[in-house]
Amino acid sequence: MSADGSIPLARPVIGPEEEAAVLAVLRSGQLSLGPKTVEFEQRFAARLGTKHALAVSSGTAGLHLALNAVGVGPGDEVITSPFSFVASANAILYAGAKPVFVDVDPVSLTIDPEAAAAAVTERTAAFLPVDIFGMPARVDILENLKLPIVQDSCEALGAVDLEGVPVGGRGHPSVFGFYANKQMTTGEGGMVTCNEGSISEVIASERNQGRAVDMGWLDHDRLGYNYRLSEIAAAIGVVQLDRLDGMLAMRTALAELYAAALENVDVGIPAASWEGGTRGWFVYVVTLPNHVNRDAVILALRAAGVDCKPYLPALHLMGHLAEVSGSRPGEFPVAEAAGSRGLALPFFPGLTEAEVARVAESLATAMTNASGA
Ligand SMILES: Cc1ncc(COP(=O)(O)O)c(C=O)c1O
């Protein structure tokens, strides 16, 4: 609970261990390009079972670099999901390519693999599936189509796919994000996992202004960016990795508490798993029935001290993305329905059982008042 008695949507778990780790870096004098970044990367790769993990300044930066590294460029098309956070589609634009949206599966809200296969043209350079709300997309099916895959796993740390592989561990570049509402945080930050040495080398160079790891200071042989993660952030990441299993378990337990508390409330509750695997719980998004006015529910919940957000507006209807993709309203009905009826409720380790009950009661009351409003 916040000081004013309201319940926030998200809150990071930060303790004395993170404080000590940050202080140690500050006192070391090495604030960038140092041992904490290497330690963070090695531990992350070991956890997911990949050969490489590259720390970057954000999930968005990681998506941009991963698309560059698999060879996406101007004139290319990248097939992706319209039900995502805007960064997944924006990264395609950064690479000079065009996002080609296809609709999503109604249960997982991840890209429909059949629709993705049907959208392939001679210009298709890659697929960019999104493990939205932590649910694993069917990348196993996309792999059969023999095109590069960049997986947006920014919301999916802790998810496991249908073959028992941790999401992000299949070998193609997968990108994680560490913004403060994520399963673990570094404040801002991200990580790209992959198995191929050549892809790892491109990402390592481009995140550091186009300087390969074996090149000297002020030596650059390709266009690069400053997408580095600081040592301060990496040190927080190392401590958060120590906490990660506990934090993931708390999220899973909370989802179970919510499912029980909402049993008699007329909302669709999110599935813990589907045919593609098991969710790594990130947000708790319920689906309101059609007759309930979502905006009115949001206002009522906030007035009752319960933060909440509409999740997520469909990307293909956003101005710049509608323009570049040529998408129209009504084109992706599953994504649009989910986008117009989803509501994210407070969800973070430390949320108590009593607070979950309060959220459920406030939601039920708000929905009764907002029915037909
Ligand atoms: C699905 C998805 N993709 C990409 C991102 C971008 O990550 P970041 O905010 O670290 O740039 C996020 C996180 O906010 C996300 O949820």
Side-chain angles (χ1 to χ4, degrees):
M1 213 187 303
S2 302
D4 64 356
S6 64
I7 306 175
L9 199 58
R11 189 164 56 201
V13 181
I14 298 289
E17 297 84 354
E18 282 82 357
E19 291 175 12
V22 167
L23 203 56
V25 172
L26 293 178
R27 287 180 176 157
S28 77
Q30 179 134 26
L31 305 189
S32 187
L33 295 168
K36 279 293 161 191
T37 305
V38 175
E39 184 184 351
F40 186 29
E41 291 176 337
Q42 287 176 347
R43 288 197 40 196
F44 203 88
R47 182 176 174 107
L48 293 196
T50 55
K51 289 194 185 143
H52 310 282
L54 298 122
V56 286
S57 54
S58 69
T60 311
L63 287 167
H64 182 191
L65 295 181
L67 286 167
N68 283 356
V70 301
V72 171
D76 289 339
E77 295 178 352
V78 177
I79 297 172
T80 193
S81 167
F83 192 72
S84 177
F85 179 63
V86 69
S88 56
N90 280 350
I92 296 170
L93 299 182
Y94 299 166
K98 174 181 164 183
V100 173
F101 295 112
V102 296
D103 213 348
V104 293
D105 169 85
V107 175
S108 66
L109 302 178
T110 61
I111 196 166
D112 174 345
E114 278 179 26
V120 172
T121 71
E122 71 278 1
R123 289 180 177 227
T124 307
F127 293 108
L128 199 164
V130 182
D131 304 310
I132 199 70
F133 304 159
M135 199 63 123
R138 288 299 305 267
V139 286
D140 58 305
I141 300 179
L142 297 179
E143 281 167 359
N144 296 330
L145 301 171
K146 307 289 175 216
L147 280 164
I149 296 173
V150 169
Q151 191 167 352
D152 181 342
S153 304
C154 283
E155 300 187 354
L157 193 53
V160 177
D161 75 17
L162 74 168
E163 288 162 9
V165 180
V167 160
R170 292 183 80 86
H172 52 254
S174 300
V175 182
F176 293 88
F178 304 133
Y179 181 69
N181 66 346
K182 296 293 191 299
Q183 287 92 337
M184 60 167 275
T185 187
T186 57
E188 297 281 359
M191 190 74 82
V192 187
T193 55
C194 66
N195 275 349
E196 243 180 81
S198 56
I199 287 181
S200 167
E201 279 168 25
V202 171
I203 294 173
S205 167
E206 289 195 2
R207 74 175 164 183
N208 191 20
Q209 305 284 12
R211 184 171 83 224
V213 275
D214 58 356
M215 285 166 70
W217 190 249
L218 300 184
D219 239 356
H220 309 270
D221 63 357
R222 61 188 305 138
L223 175 65
Y225 313 85
N226 179 356
Y227 283 168
R228 296 184 301 261
L229 189 72
S230 77
E231 281 285 281
I232 302 160
I236 298 173
V238 169
V239 178
Q240 290 269 299
L241 278 180
D242 288 336
R243 293 188 189 283
L244 184 57
D245 285 327
M247 294 193 294
L248 291 173
M250 284 195 250
R251 283 182 186 267
T252 303
L254 264 184
E256 285 164 12
L257 281 179
Y258 260 127
L262 294 170
E263 212 174 359
N264 297 318
V265 183
D266 183 21
V267 291
I269 62 165
S273 61
W274 79 301
E275 64 187 37
T278 305
R279 199 190 289 274
W281 283 100
F282 164 54
V283 278
Y284 199 84
V285 181
V286 296
T287 311
L288 300 184
N290 277 329
H291 64 272
V292 171
N293 181 319
R294 183 173 64 174
D295 292 341
V297 170
I298 290 171
L299 285 178
L301 275 177
R302 288 188 184 152
V306 173
D307 199 9
C308 57
K309 277 213 169 66
Y311 255 48
L312 285 160
L315 298 185
H316 65 288
L317 304 180
M318 293 181 180
H320 69 299
L321 292 170
E323 197 180 319
V324 290
S325 67
S327 301
R328 300 170 314 277
E331 201 172 350
F332 307 118
V334 182
E336 288 174 39
S340 64
R341 290 164 47 209
L343 182 69
L345 301 176
F347 192 68
F348 52 88
L351 190 67
T352 65
E353 191 167 352
E355 287 170 326
V356 168
R358 184 178 139 198
V359 173
E361 278 161 32
S362 305
L363 178 61
T365 308
M367 283 176 61
T368 310
N369 296 338
S371 276

